[in-house]
Each structure stands twice: as structure tokens, then as C-alpha cells.
Amino acid sequence: MVPFPEEPAAARGTSEAQPPGPATPGGAAPLPCPGPADRPEAAGERAEVELAGPAGAEPPQPPEGGWGWLVMLAAMWCNGSVFGIQNACGVLFVAMLKTFVTKDDDKMVFKTAWVSSLSMGMIFFCCPIASVFTDMFGCRKTAVVGAAVGFIGLMSSSFVSSIEPLYLTYGIIFACGCSFAYQPSLVILGHYFKKRLGLVNGIVTAGSSIFTILLPFLLRFLTDNVSFFYTLRVLCIFMFVLFLASFTYRPLAPNAKDKESGTKGSNRFSLFSRRKFSPPKKIFNFAIFKVTAYAVWAVGIPLALFGYFVPYVHLMKHVNERFQDGKNKEVILMCIGITSGVGRLLFGRIADYVPGVKKVYLQVLSFLFIGLMSMMIPLCRVFGALIAVCLIMGLFDGCFISIMAPIAFELVGAQDVSQAIGFLLGFMSIPMTVGPPIAGLLRDKLGSYDVAFYLAGVPPLIGGAVLCLIPWIHGKKQRELDKATGGEKMEKMLENQNSLLSSSSGIFKKESDSVI
């Protein structure tokens, strides 16, 4: 599962790329004068104005290539290594059960499921925080530190002696590092690409599908031939490469046009460095929840995801129990990865032809099929039928992922889309963390996964039904806004007509006086 890429141009303020305000006439600095503007609050407001630059200033144009292609490959590796490991957690789940299983513990599946679900949940939970750090310290510093933390968490996980320490090392430290490494990889793309941003985002997110296809076979080979702990140490290589790749996220140097604008280039760079260490005055924008359609969307999506991550965690264990004589069982995860990549490209293109908020209906369709396919997993008595179910599930998983960013733009606009995406990812962390352990508890109590998969299909159906309300709510608000705007326009038109008549009568009176 890969969250949708943010649109960095809208998600991040352009203050870093904008020159300071115009100089005073003659180049002389204005004399300070006491008054209300000298209060600390006013000084903070002046700093914000200086950092934002003049209203007409433009950020440097993305180079549309060059070093950006290397940045794209680094972001692709980040996307693949972070979510490839998460999507292949079913193989690690089976290995953890074999490594830490005890005869006296009848809740081992429940305890083990917490490791993978906590890891995925923390990645989403930390995304809003990672966005703030990216704004404050830049993409490169945030990504490098995040990759280093992820490496430390994964390496420390290979030295534990029981399942409980993995909650901290793998579920929290490793996941938080991945989140801080992943968020800047989306933001930096908008610095280097604009016209090709859609293509580049597609290539970057395809990294997750490629790794999801290949990693299960690698992990199965490693867990069968070496221990679970050495498998984690091999995965540390992926994080070390990510650490090195994060150094490619260098900020764009100002061009000649940017240096000439403003007062002087040195002043611009002093403000740029000041921007790094001055946190924004308003970090979290809770006003977006006043948009009713977005509020419903932010409730419906997490509601639908309570059963979404259950197949990724428990499907391999279910296959091992149901098809004990089968070989190459990892092919089911490969099928999900392949069709998920196809679904991202296919439905992303289809969404371009669906107007406005009606794109939500594509998400409703995807949740409908994801819920039905989850319920059909226990009904598959033949391995080929299970493969077909996983192919369909992966296809609509890609549909759900690919159209989330366009829907966010339609609901809140480009200015607030970063906060909207961040809040939504944070809300998504709760059901994705809770769902798999509940399924594991049902497996421990009932002896099979049948009931767990049946119940996992219910939340997507309920969430999809809630999402059906969004186009109606959005359309109603839009009609009210258009009506209010139309009334204001009519009042302004009447005022303009009255002022025009007044000025005309004044001119006529002056002409009459001159004639007399």
C-alpha cells in the first residue's frame, strides 16, 4: 500500500524561492519609529511578510530534468524500499511466528500482528509531523536523518530475543524513520519537475509495485536459508542505500533572474537561511475541517481502512494453513503488486476524464471490490481462485491510491492540500494499526482466518457508502457559494452604475457652468 503523492508545488509554501520585498526608494533603509508595530507580535508578522516576498514574485522554474532525474531515482528507491518492505510483511510475519513461537502462548498471532500493523500505522501517523520538519529544515536534512533512524531501528530489531521489543525497534523507531525519509521524497519532486510531474510521480510510485513483486521471493529465500535476524540485517542494506540517496535532495540554486530581483543576492540568502530556522506561525491549519465535504472524506476513508491492511499481514499465514502442499506461495503478493501498479496507471488516467468531485465515485467502486474480495478469500478452495481474487484486489487497490490526491485538490483547493493530505494520513494510521491485530486475535480464538477475512470486508463497504455523500454535499455548498457570490456581484454592479451616473452628472454640471 502506497499513499498518494502530494503535489509539492501546492503543498509547500513558495517562500523559500521568493526574493525579499522591494527596496525602499534610493536604497535607503526606512528609519525605525516607535509604535504598535514594534510589538513582538508585529515583528513576527513583519518577518512573515519578508519571508513571503512580494505578491508578484515567482519561484525559480523547475529544470524539468538534469539532476532531477537522479532525484527521481532516489525517490523511487525510497518509495520501493519503504513500502516494499511493508507490503511484503506477510513473509516476515510467518518468519516471526517461527522464531518467537512458544507452546504456552495461545495469543502469538495476535502479538505478532502488532509488529507489522504498528509499523505501517506509525508511517502514516508521522506524516503530518514530517511535513512540518520538511518545511522547517528542508528535504535533504529531514530525509537523511529519517533514513539513519530507520537504519538504526531495523538493525536493532535484529538483536532482540522476544517479540515485545520489536514493537519499539521495528514498529516505532524503524517506522518513524521511514516516514521522515518518505515525506521529503514527494516534496522534492516538485522542485525539479512541473510539466513532467505527473509522469515522474507515476515512475516513483511504481517503485513500490516493483519492490512488492520482488521482495517476497528474496525474503522467503533469506528466511528459509538464514535466520530471521540475518534477514533484517540484509534489509538494512536497503536503508543504507536510502541514506546515501537522500543526499541527492539538494535545494535548487537561485538563477540569475532571482539574484537580480529584490535588494541584493546576499539579503535573499540571509532570509532563506532564516526561513529554515523560523517555524511557521501557524503549523496546523484546522480550518480545513470547516469544509464539510472534506470532513466527511476524512471520516469515510479511515472508516473503510479498518480491514484494508488485514490481507497484507495475514494472507501468507492463511495460505500456509489452507494450501500446505503448494509451492511458490509468495506469488499471491506478487499478483497484488503487479495489478496495483496497473491500477494506478489505468485509473489515474480514467480520473482525468471524471469531472470534479465525482472522482469520489471511483473510490467508492474500489472499496466495493476490495471489501468483496476480502470476503471471498476464505471461499477460495483452489489456489488459482485465490490468485484471481488477489489480482482483482490489487487492481482496485491501485485505483484507491491513485485518485486520492486529485480528490484532495477538488475538496480544499491547492493552497490547503498539503495539510489536508497530512491530516488524512494521520487519521489512516489508526485503523491500519488496529485492524490486523484484531484479525490475529480472531484467528487465535477461532482457529482459522475465515471470520477475520469476512469481517475485514465490511468496513470498506461502510466507508464507501459514506463517501457517496460527498458529491451531494460539495454540490450543495458550491451552489450556496455561487448564489452568495452572484448577489455580491450584483451589488457591486449597482454601486458601479450609481458611481458612474454620479460622475456623469457632475461632468454635465461642470460643462453647463462653463457654458454659462
Side-chain angles (χ1 to χ4, degrees), residues 1-4 297 301 305 363 399-409 421 424-425 428:
M1 155 38 174
V2 184
F4 48 94
W297 193 55
I301 293 293
L305 295 182
Q363 279 193 330
C399 171
F400 155 65
I401 293 168
S402 64
I403 60 176
M404 292 186 74
I407 291 174
F409 270 88
I421 290 174
L424 184 63
L425 292 177
M428 287 167 56

Side-chain angles (χ1 to χ4, degrees), residues 93 97 107-113 314 317 440 443-444 449:
F93 178 77
L97 285 176
K107 294 183 179 180
M108 197 60 199
V109 175
F110 171 71
K111 291 181 178 180
T112 308
H314 295 285
K317 176 68 174 174
R443 160 63 180 79
D444 290 332
Y449 279 110

Side-chain angles (χ1 to χ4, degrees), residues 465-502:
V466 173
L467 296 183
C468 289
L469 301 174
I470 293 177
W472 176 77
I473 295 174
H474 183 77
K476 181 181 179 181
K477 291 292 183 180
Q478 195 66 39
R479 287 190 295 270
E480 293 177 355
L481 181 62
D482 292 341
K483 185 177 180 181
T485 306
E488 292 178 358
K489 288 182 178 179
M490 183 62 68
E491 291 179 0
K492 290 183 179 180
M493 187 180 299
L494 293 175
E495 289 179 359
N496 292 334
Q497 289 179 352
N498 292 333
S499 61
L500 183 62
L501 291 174
S502 299

Side-chain angles (χ1 to χ4, degrees), residues 94-139:
V94 175
M96 283 186 279
L97 285 176
K98 292 180 180 179
T99 303
F100 302 109
V101 66
T102 57
K103 296 182 180 179
D104 299 332
D105 196 344
D106 58 347
K107 294 183 179 180
M108 197 60 199
V109 175
F110 171 71
K111 291 181 178 180
T112 308
W114 271 110
V115 178
S116 299
S117 60
L118 185 62
S119 178
M120 178 62 89
M122 285 302 297
I123 289 178
F124 288 110
F125 180 78
C126 292
C127 276
I129 305 172
S131 299
V132 175
F133 275 79
T134 303
D135 284 341
M136 293 173 61
F137 301 106
C139 294

Side-chain angles (χ1 to χ4, degrees), residues 408-420:
F409 270 88
E410 295 291 345
L411 293 178
V412 300
Q415 184 176 0
D416 297 320
V417 71
S418 175
Q419 294 279 346

Side-chain angles (χ1 to χ4, degrees), residues 5-8 72 186 189 196-206:
E6 298 182 32
E7 293 290 344
M72 182 198 71
L186 301 179
L189 296 177
R196 298 173 176 172
L197 186 58
L199 171 64
V200 170
N201 274 328
I203 296 174
V204 168
T205 55

Side-chain angles (χ1 to χ4, degrees), residues 151 253 351 475:
F151 177 87

Side-chain angles (χ1 to χ4, degrees), residues 167-246:
Y167 299 155
L168 174 64
T169 58
Y170 189 91
I172 296 180
I173 299 177
F174 169 65
C176 289
C178 288
S179 181
F180 276 73
Y182 171 72
Q183 183 76 12
S185 71
L186 301 179
V187 177
I188 194 65
L189 296 177
H191 296 177
Y192 285 88
F193 297 94
K194 184 176 181 181
K195 296 179 181 178
R196 298 173 176 172
L197 186 58
L199 171 64
V200 170
N201 274 328
I203 296 174
V204 168
T205 55
S208 171
S209 298
I210 295 173
F211 276 63
T212 301
I213 293 169
L214 300 178
L215 267 182
F217 295 98
L218 174 63
L219 295 179
R220 179 62 182 270
F221 173 80
L222 292 174
T223 53
D224 288 346
N225 294 276
V226 298
S227 66
F228 166 73
F229 303 111
Y230 281 102
T231 301
L232 293 182
R233 292 165 193 168
V234 171
L235 291 179
C236 286
I237 299 175
F238 288 77
M239 299 307 298
F240 181 71
V241 174
L242 177 57
F243 172 78
L244 298 178
S246 299

